[in-house]
Amino acid sequence: MVGIQLILSTPRAIKKTITEPIRSRLAFKVTTVSDSKNILNIGGAEKLESVGEILFQSGCMKYPICARLSHISEEEINENVKTIKDKYKEEVITLE
């Protein structure tokens, strides 16, 4: 990708926050149809069921597509970080 990439996250999908110049939109599960319409200009995000399920709509798409992202728990992240630190212990320089 070329250009500036921006991810906007908000606790409540209100029209004031989400404006038209944003070309690509991504919605996780929302509580109401109006929230989904504020994000994607179409309902559907309120029907998403599983963790990591999203609706994505690019500027050139008429309708959003449903995709599933992998979910990594905080525990898994901590285990992976510990494994990497242990493996490369001698190569890591700690700045204080």
Side-chain angles (χ1 to χ4, degrees):
M1 289 186 172
V2 178
I4 298 172
Q5 309 303 317
L6 169 72
I7 297 176
L8 172 68
S9 176
T10 178
R12 179 90 174 126
I14 55 176
K15 267 291 192 214
K16 258 186 176 177
T17 307
I18 303 166
T19 58
E20 287 305 312
I22 300 172
R23 299 181 136 237
S24 296
R25 296 161 185 253
L26 180 134
F28 289 93
K29 182 173 178 65
V30 295
T31 53
T32 65
V33 176
S34 62
D35 288 344
S36 181
K37 287 181 180 180
N38 284 342
I39 299 168
L40 300 167
N41 297 322
I42 193 168
E46 74 285 353
K47 297 176 184 174
L48 297 174
E49 294 180 5
S50 65
V51 174
E53 206 170 33
I54 62 164
L55 285 179
F56 172 76
Q57 186 173 18
S58 178
C60 62
M61 299 166 66
K62 187 172 182 178
Y63 299 105
I65 58 168
C66 185
R68 184 165 286 155
L69 304 174
S70 59
H71 178 265
I72 301 173
S73 69
E74 190 171 341
E75 184 180 308
E76 289 174 301
I77 292 169
N78 291 336
E79 286 175 14
N80 287 330
V81 169
K82 185 183 179 315
T83 301
I84 292 168
K85 278 183 174 179
D86 291 345
K87 184 175 181 179
Y88 298 102
K89 196 178 214 173
E90 287 119 28
E91 296 175 30
V92 174
I93 299 171
T94 306
L95 300 175
E96 294 179 25

